[in-house]
Amino acid sequence: MRSGGNPRPLPAEAAELGHEARAAAGDHAALKLWLRMLSCTTRIETAIRRRLRRSFGVTLARFDYMAQLHRRPEGLKMSELSRRLMVTGGNVTGLTDELQRDGLVVRASHATDRRAWIVRLTPKGRRSFEAMARAHEEWILELLGGLDRARIAQLHGLLGELRAHLLRSDQPAEEK
């Protein structure tokens, strides 16, 4: 039991929750791993979405958009934002319109491409995002707090290996 009387699900009980409930005893280990990763990701993302909405009145999409711009103070073309966020240009346009209305971003024409727009955070947008980012980091530390540093490093390394394998497997045969 956790402090406060809330029971923490045991590993056997946790397997019955969320995406992992789809797995059967005889399923391949890789399928069980996929479902466990999906279950963890979904739970963390749901918690972050809820906390962003409750604490800052923003969506995860808005947070992610602002994070991309925060990393690039010189700004990004809207098409680049679309690519980085893996959403349509229409989604980026809608978010840009909202954030511009709220004074959090500015949109300027591209210096050499008349068809393109560059979007940057305003000082207000930068301050707003930085407050959200501090809270976001605290939430992630809390949500992953059940693992010690060595386990986190181990899991990070293993997932890095998986990511590299996935990137290699995405390449067409002639590029390999």
Side-chain angles (χ1 to χ4, degrees):
M1 281 245 217
R2 282 191 296 195
S3 62
N6 295 329
R8 179 177 290 189
L10 300 173
E13 294 168 323
E16 299 300 319
L17 301 174
H19 298 289
E20 289 189 76
R22 300 180 204 169
D27 285 343
H28 194 282
L31 176 61
K32 290 179 182 179
L33 173 60
W34 160 244
L35 292 172
R36 176 148 305 161
M37 288 188 318
L38 187 58
S39 180
C40 289
T41 300
T42 300
R43 291 188 64 91
I44 291 168
E45 186 175 311
T46 298
I48 296 300
R49 283 180 190 281
R50 185 178 61 247
R51 291 172 186 204
L52 282 169
R53 176 68 72 190
R54 184 180 62 228
S55 298
F56 298 100
V58 300
T59 63
L60 183 56
R62 185 182 268 215
F63 176 84
D64 289 343
Y65 177 109
M66 293 176 74
Q68 290 298 322
L69 292 178
H70 189 266
R71 289 183 192 104
R72 300 289 299 266
E74 70 279 8
L76 286 168
K77 287 171 59 171
M78 289 179 66
S79 60
E80 179 65 12
L81 268 170
S82 176
R83 188 186 68 73
R84 287 172 179 238
L85 295 169
M86 296 182 282
V87 299
T88 67
N91 287 355
V92 168
T93 298
L95 278 170
T96 302
D97 291 345
E98 290 174 20
L99 291 164
Q100 191 170 19
R101 234 184 345 265
D102 293 345
L104 301 173
V105 301
V106 292
R107 186 179 351 205
S109 56
H110 191 278
T112 59
D113 183 351
R114 292 183 308 166
R115 299 166 297 154
W117 292 95
I118 299 291
V119 183
R120 291 178 190 85
L121 288 175
T122 63
K124 176 183 175 183
R126 186 162 291 285
R127 286 189 306 274
S128 176
F129 174 76
E130 288 170 355
M132 288 185 276
R134 283 189 298 275
H136 179 269
E137 182 178 10
E138 290 173 14
W139 300 333
I140 295 297
L141 292 172
E142 174 193 332
L143 292 166
L144 299 182
L147 299 173
D148 64 34
R149 288 184 133 169
R151 291 285 196 187
I152 289 172
Q154 179 184 26
L155 188 53
H156 184 263
L158 292 169
L159 290 172
E161 290 176 31
L162 175 60
R163 183 172 183 244
H165 167 75
L166 294 170
L167 289 171
R168 282 190 304 274
S169 68
D170 277 352
Q171 293 177 349
E174 65 274 3
E175 292 181 18
K176 290 183 181 179

